[in-house]
Amino acid sequence: MTLIKSISGIRGTIGGKPSENLTPLDAVKFAAAYGIWLKEYAKKDTLKVVIGRDARLSGEMIQNLVVSTLVGLGIDVIDLDLSTTPTVEIAVPLEEADGGIILTASHNPKQWNALKLLNEKGEFLNAEQGAKILAIAEKEDFTFADVDNLGTILKNDSYIDIHIDEVLNLSLVDKEVIKAAKFKVVVDGVNSTGGIAIPKLLEELGVEVVKLYCDPTGHFPHNPEPLKEHLADICELVVKEKADFGIVVDPDVDRLAFISNDGEMFGEEYTLVACADYVLGKTKGNTVSNLSSSRALRDITEKHGGTYEAAAVGEVNVVTKMKVNNAVIGGEGNGGIIYPESHYGRDSLVGTALFLMLMAEKGGTVAELRASYPSYFMSKKKIQLTPGLDVDGILVAMADKYKNEDISTIDGVKIDFAENWVHLRKSNTEPIIRIYTEDQSQAEADKLADRIIAEIKEVAGL
């Protein structure tokens, strides 16, 4: 059982002891710390915060605690109830709110929940802001409002529909083009809010929907991370239903994966590649993903005449670099699509609409589309280190060893070779180094990872 306090928020497992798990006391403490920080940050007498949650079992309890805490601080709350991460993100500026909190542990299993914190733009807080909130929580120096100055609660359950309208109004989304293609799509909503939002969007676009696990009960029918080993049911159903493809989202709907018409994974890394292919074909510009994402995005971007840049891992880092580079689309290789014309947040509804437009215009099957892209394979391994070892020193030594290659040290060490790459990152919570590699076959990616692990052990004297 765990409680993880980080600059991006607080997440943990439900139950157990305060400060060791995400208990009611911890939910109140960190909601209060956010509210106190927001008062200092916004410098306003009257504050408004948007709250939404995924469908996980602890969601209603955590929501009640967080909402009541903010009201106790004199902050007004717009309560979206069941929602998605991108829906809360678009609601914050539309409501002219001062911030937002999403109650979700994203792809984590059902025993987890979290408070994810947003600024007035509906974007995640930066490292400095997150650190201030952690410091306030640590001190527990809270002053609550008196009875005449409590906040108010306004319930608004219309925002998934508003979000869908926002997607339909995007300049590169044409409802009639998608409708004419007569798609049939299977949706796995992992019994969370994606089971509400994605089928509604598809039906608005004239797509025939086959629902799988779309009841928002919070009883996840499989591990909610949208990886191949968890998705046998939808892979079988896509083939059985003779569907054009399948859509899988995580519980808070910011990660998007597709199943090809043949029941094979399209590949989470290729969700962003496909959406970027469509956008760049219509809008000349640049792209950004994180250092651990596939090289295929760079290839597609350069094919369209744009420039690709890599950011440190973490959505806030990707968004920052997207703004600097005027990227027209970006995101993360885990199926996170960030399309600035909509908003600066990972959004599976936007990604779904862009993918449908690409398929409607290209024709052919999803399997054929996947085969048309540069083919890369990724290996993700880790090496356990003895506590007390100088992990930073090991990374410096590895960077020095490959100093004649294309090196990035903005987030661990990324070494770009001509045909492949390796990314080494240390864990913030345990003595391990994560090793990500990518090559033109799975065997070669694994072989490169094993070679680098052997070199790290040699450097560390293991």
Side-chain angles (χ1 to χ4, degrees), residues 27-325:
V28 169
K29 181 166 81 170
F30 283 90
Y34 173 74
I36 296 292
W37 169 80
L38 197 60
K39 288 184 172 188
E40 295 171 1
Y41 172 74
K43 294 182 172 58
K44 289 165 62 179
D45 293 332
T46 306
L47 294 177
K48 182 162 58 174
V49 172
V50 176
I51 306 286
R53 65 179 175 94
D54 69 15
R56 62 185 61 232
L57 299 174
S58 60
E60 189 173 5
M61 175 188 76
I62 298 294
Q63 175 188 353
N64 289 337
L65 291 163
V66 168
V67 168
S68 295
T69 301
L70 294 177
V71 167
L73 286 167
I75 296 171
D76 296 332
V77 173
I78 309 291
D79 180 5
L80 307 190
D81 201 33
L82 285 174
S83 192
T84 77
T85 286
T87 304
V88 176
E89 289 170 349
I90 69 156
V92 170
L94 286 175
E95 288 290 330
E96 298 180 345
D98 302 287
I101 303 178
I102 307 149
L103 307 172
T104 174
S106 195
H107 61 270
N108 283 31
K110 68 176 184 178
Q111 65 266 34
W112 290 81
N113 212 329
L115 281 66
K116 292 186 175 181
L117 311 175
L118 304 175
N119 64 17
E120 77 283 4
K121 296 175 183 173
E123 298 169 15
F124 287 111
L125 306 186
N126 62 33
E128 183 186 353
Q129 293 165 338
K132 284 182 180 176
I133 291 168
L134 291 179
I136 293 167
E138 194 66 33
K139 288 180 183 174
E140 295 189 31
D141 185 16
F142 309 130
T143 302
F144 289 90
D146 61 39
V147 73
D148 292 317
N149 292 292
L150 297 174
T152 61
I153 303 170
L154 176 66
K155 293 187 180 293
N156 186 340
D157 62 2
S158 66
Y159 257 97
I160 286 177
D161 292 329
I162 293 168
H163 188 176
I164 289 169
D165 288 342
E166 291 280 310
V167 173
L168 297 178
N169 287 331
L170 292 171
S171 60
L172 294 189
V173 176
D174 188 328
K175 179 177 176 177
E176 297 308 316
V177 168
I178 294 171
K179 193 174 182 180
K182 295 183 165 37
F183 290 118
K184 181 179 183 180
V185 175
V186 180
V187 178
D188 179 350
V190 74
N191 285 344
S192 189
T193 50
I196 303 170
I198 299 294
K200 267 191 173 188
L201 171 67
L202 293 174
E203 285 160 3
E204 281 288 327
L205 290 166
V207 175
E208 182 183 347
V209 180
V210 179
K211 295 181 183 180
L212 175 68
Y213 308 136
C214 285
D215 224 2
T217 60
H219 291 284
F220 303 149
H222 55 76
N223 185 306
E225 187 166 14
L227 303 177
K228 181 178 182 177
E229 56 267 32
H230 308 146
L231 301 175
D233 291 353
I234 187 171
C235 290
E236 289 174 15
L237 193 56
V238 166
V239 174
K240 181 182 173 185
E241 289 283 344
K242 296 183 171 63
D244 292 288
F245 60 97
I247 293 174
V248 183
V249 292
D250 64 340
D252 69 324
V253 204
D254 65 357
R255 286 176 65 174
L256 174 65
F258 298 118
I259 312 299
S260 296
N261 53 292
D262 56 4
E264 294 297 319
M265 293 291 293
F266 188 74
E268 253 196 322
E269 291 285 334
Y270 284 81
T271 301
L272 177 55
V273 173
C275 292
D277 188 21
Y278 173 67
V279 170
L280 292 168
K282 305 286 185 182
T283 314
K284 296 301 175 191
N286 305 322
T287 64
V288 171
S289 66
N290 68 36
L291 285 165
S292 292
S293 298
S294 176
R295 187 178 277 187
L297 180 62
R298 183 199 70 179
D299 295 352
I300 289 294
T301 304
E302 291 176 354
K303 175 188 156 192
H304 285 287
T307 301
Y308 165 79
E309 294 281 348
V313 173
E315 183 173 329
V316 67
N317 298 318
V318 173
V319 166
T320 299
K321 189 161 281 266
M322 285 180 71
K323 290 176 179 178
V324 170
N325 291 1

Side-chain angles (χ1 to χ4, degrees), residues 415-454:
I415 310 162
D416 263 302
F417 302 105
E419 301 297 328
N420 48 36
W421 57 258
V422 57
H423 186 201
L424 311 175
R425 299 180 71 230
K426 70 170 184 176
S427 167
N428 292 323
T429 56
E430 51 186 328
I432 64 170
I433 294 177
R434 302 187 189 280
I435 297 103
Y436 301 92
T437 61
E438 186 176 65
D439 212 319
Q440 293 171 37
S441 75
Q442 191 62 55
E444 289 298 318
D446 290 336
K447 184 178 170 185
L448 175 60
D450 290 339
R451 189 190 96 200
I452 295 295
I453 287 171

